[in-house]
Amino acid sequence: MKEMSLYEKLNILSDAAKYDVSCSSSGVERRGDGTGMGNCRKAGICHSFSSDGRCISLLKILFTNECIYDCKYCINRSSNDVVRTSFTPEEICTLTMEFYRRNYIEGLFLSSGILKSPDYTMELIYAALYRLRHVCNFQGYIHVKAIPGADERLIRMTGFLADRMSVNMELPTAESLRLLAPHKSRKNILAPMRFVQEKMKENQQEIMLYRSAPRFVPAGQSTQMIIGATPETDYQILRVTEDLYKKFDLKRVFFSAFVPVNEDKDLPSIRDQGPPLLREHRLYQADWLLRFYHFEAEELLDEENQNFNVYLDPKCCWALRHLESFPVEINRADYYTLLRVPGIGYKSAGRIVKARRWGCIGFEDLKKMGVVLKRALYFITCSGKMMYPVRMDEDTITRNLLNTKERLPEGADGMTFRQLSLFDDMGLGGVNTG
Ligand code: SF4
């Protein structure tokens, strides 16, 4: 059989990587005009936001789309008849360095199917990263997958070469994994996650003692879960998410709306409806509330309300169920109370607290501070007065809020929504939950 060219491999292995959202892809298809460096059409290049708000491009590829496992939801599962190929570590380096030199990318996102065994695959990934860092002297960003089941020594050595590592949860519960990914187990997935967490902690102590100590996964670890392939409710998914943040110190949990690529009796038939993007969007909003707004999963959903309202964002829903806590007086409420007001984000809450040291704040000032008044006006007073006379009644406020359309995911309402941040997004961009 004819040997595949590097370009052919790139086409196959970048296309196979597109289902992994733990590096958010913008799907931009902008051609360069030939006068400068950079072209968004290069295969496998996706866009993410760095912690300082910059949009950065990553080469997003699989090491191989060969796989010994047969996860029912995956295009690369062993039982699928697709063209298979693998890079060599040298080819990964060539692509990364060539794209980097041409200014197409600022980093690499490397995932993989399981070739022969988890150890064998992890060794290849390590070899590629070692070469990139020590032979090619590549100093750009690298996000790499830790392969569940691989030897901890390999994960550790790889972690010293990468900026971020992720182990995919795949599905929210152990039962779902058993059903759709029978070769994987919850235990196998959580073990490397715990290992990375412990090594990161140890490394922080080493760095405190010896400032020049090498850094292990300095940009932290993340994971992703497929949403909508199995019957878990938003409440279950959010509780798992909260647990992951609390118990494993994850930087991000990514949700990936289930995209049907295989016919299987155990998979939902949602071909006609398309991926559950609006549900994914609500989960991201709730995730934002957990991480930056001091909400607990139990406050947002419970046994009686197991799924998010499709029409209203999670913070508005929470506020409507707790009207006894409103209206909040803008000139007196503490920062944490302000955070809970629909339409007030963490940036605007900070601005309010700062600005009111110098005098009373009115509705016009709030607008300038970035408060979304069309949502906030039902829940606040300025110097004791509401913006308009409002009946504090759930039905009335809900009807009014529904008239002020929020931005919904593309496809859900023909509108667009913002790209999600990849790194530690504290204080910068991301999903609007305000
Ligand atoms: S391990 Fe499962 S999800 Fe990953 S590439 Fe193989 S079949 Fe796909």
Side-chain angles (χ1 to χ4, degrees):
M1 208 176 97
K2 192 178 141 260
E3 179 79 1
M4 255 187 222
S5 72
L6 188 54
Y7 188 74
E8 284 167 323
K9 284 187 184 183
L10 178 61
N11 266 336
I12 293 169
L13 293 172
S14 60
D15 192 60
K18 72 184 176 198
Y19 300 100
D20 201 312
V21 296
S22 52
C23 147
S24 324
S25 169
S26 63
V28 173
E29 284 234 345
R30 178 173 49 76
R31 275 181 189 281
D33 64 6
T35 58
M37 301 285 272
N39 182 334
C40 289
R41 283 181 60 85
K42 286 288 164 225
I45 296 177
C46 69
H47 302 89
S48 302
F49 287 88
S50 69
S51 57
D52 60 3
R54 279 178 315 122
C55 178
I56 64 163
S57 315
L58 300 176
L59 172 63
K60 180 174 168 180
I61 44 175
L62 294 189
F63 195 100
T64 177
N65 67 344
E66 293 193 35
C67 194
I68 53 172
Y69 294 165
D70 201 38
C71 306
K72 294 182 181 174
Y73 47 83
C74 178
I75 188 77
N76 302 316
R77 63 181 182 176
S78 57
S79 58
N80 273 6
D81 182 16
V82 295
V83 181
R84 307 280 176 174
T85 189
S86 306
F87 288 124
T88 61
E90 291 73 22
E91 286 171 335
I92 301 260
C93 294
T94 304
L95 285 172
T96 308
M97 294 311 290
E98 289 301 316
F99 280 174
Y100 192 72
R101 277 194 196 108
R102 285 171 173 76
N103 214 12
Y104 293 155
I105 58 161
E106 288 162 79
L108 170 69
F109 175 90
L110 185 60
S111 184
S112 186
I114 315 296
L115 186 62
K116 292 188 188 172
S117 71
D119 277 350
Y120 186 74
T121 313
M122 202 71 226
E123 264 176 43
L124 287 171
I125 291 175
Y126 169 75
L129 264 57
Y130 183 88
R131 193 177 167 84
L132 252 182
R133 291 292 196 215
H134 295 297
V135 180
C136 307
N137 201 21
F138 177 70
Q139 293 181 358
Y141 177 83
I142 299 179
H143 178 165
V144 73
K145 293 280 162 185
I147 307 289
D151 191 302
E152 288 183 345
R153 278 170 305 174
L154 283 169
I155 295 178
R156 182 175 175 276
M157 290 186 323
T158 310
F160 277 111
L161 301 169
D163 292 285
R164 170 165 286 188
M165 265 190 150
S166 50
V167 188
N168 281 355
M169 280 294 286
E170 308 288 8
L171 294 160
T173 59
E175 299 77 62
S176 295
L177 265 181
R178 266 195 293 277
L179 181 71
L180 297 187
H183 299 96
K184 295 181 177 176
S185 73
R186 189 66 173 262
K187 207 171 133 215
N188 245 15
I189 291 170
L190 294 182
M193 217 182 251
R194 176 71 73 211
F195 179 75
V196 172
Q197 178 196 28
E198 283 167 1
K199 291 298 131 203
M200 278 166 52
K201 274 193 187 146
E202 273 174 28
N203 186 237
Q204 277 154 13
Q205 284 167 0
E206 280 163 13
I207 289 166
M208 271 160 58
L209 285 175
Y210 314 102
R211 290 188 65 187
S212 59
R215 295 181 165 241
F216 180 85
V217 193
Q221 63 168 331
S222 59
T223 192
Q224 79 161 17
M225 279 187 274
I226 300 168
I227 301 309
T230 42
E232 288 87 6
T233 62
D234 292 345
Y235 180 47
Q236 283 173 290
I237 294 167
L238 204 63
R239 280 178 43 192
V240 172
T241 304
E242 186 175 63
D243 261 12
L244 288 170
Y245 284 128
K246 284 185 179 163
K247 295 184 182 157
F248 293 88
D249 302 324
L250 293 192
K251 282 281 186 205
R252 282 298 300 267
V253 176
F254 289 91
F255 307 107
S256 169
F258 170 61
V259 180
V261 289
N262 299 323
E263 289 294 344
D264 197 294
K265 67 173 179 32
D266 291 325
L267 292 173
S269 168
I270 58 169
R271 220 166 265 284
D272 301 335
Q273 299 159 28
L277 287 177
L278 183 51
R279 186 176 180 203
E280 182 194 272
H281 181 58
R282 291 285 178 245
L283 283 164
Y284 274 124
Q285 289 178 315
D287 167 86
W288 213 254
L289 294 178
L290 297 184
R291 289 187 299 136
F292 302 129
Y293 289 77
H294 303 269
F295 276 89
E296 305 256 325
E298 296 280 348
E299 292 179 280
L300 298 170
L301 293 168
D302 52 39
E303 295 293 342
E304 271 90 63
N305 306 287
Q306 296 245 356
N307 289 301
F308 287 115
N309 186 321
V310 173
Y311 299 104
L312 288 172
D313 69 71
K315 203 207 249 186
C316 278
C317 288
W318 174 84
L320 286 165
R321 286 205 307 272
H322 293 88
L323 283 180
E324 73 284 354
S325 312
F326 297 99
V328 158
E329 169 52 47
I330 287 292
N331 287 294
R332 273 201 313 272
D334 64 38
Y335 175 75
Y336 297 101
T337 306
L338 290 173
L339 279 185
R340 295 196 159 220
V341 177
I344 298 184
Y346 53 84
K347 280 189 203 165
S348 33
R351 286 181 193 132
I352 291 168
V353 171
K354 231 177 188 174
R356 69 190 180 188
R357 287 186 206 142
W358 313 107
C360 257
I361 293 175
F363 289 103
E364 268 311 303
D365 304 314
L366 290 179
K367 222 174 178 175
K368 288 179 203 148
M369 289 176 200
V371 172
V372 184
L373 276 178
K374 65 182 179 187
R375 279 211 290 281
L377 72 91
Y378 308 102
F379 304 99
I380 54 171
T381 55
C382 285
S383 307
K385 288 196 185 114
M386 294 192 90
M387 194 164 165
Y388 305 113
V390 174
R391 246 181 58 202
M392 290 306 280
D393 152 285
E394 191 176 336
D395 273 0
T396 315
I397 299 176
T398 304
R399 253 182 284 119
N400 281 306
L401 282 170
L402 287 175
N403 281 336
T404 56
K405 272 192 169 185
E406 65 163 317
R407 286 188 302 175
L408 298 177
E410 196 163 11
D413 198 14
M415 300 170 104
T416 56
F417 71 118
R418 275 168 68 182
Q419 166 86 36
L420 296 157
S421 301
L422 170 66
F423 305 113
D424 179 3
D425 321 80
M426 181 62 93
L428 295 153
V431 181
N432 179 13
T433 53

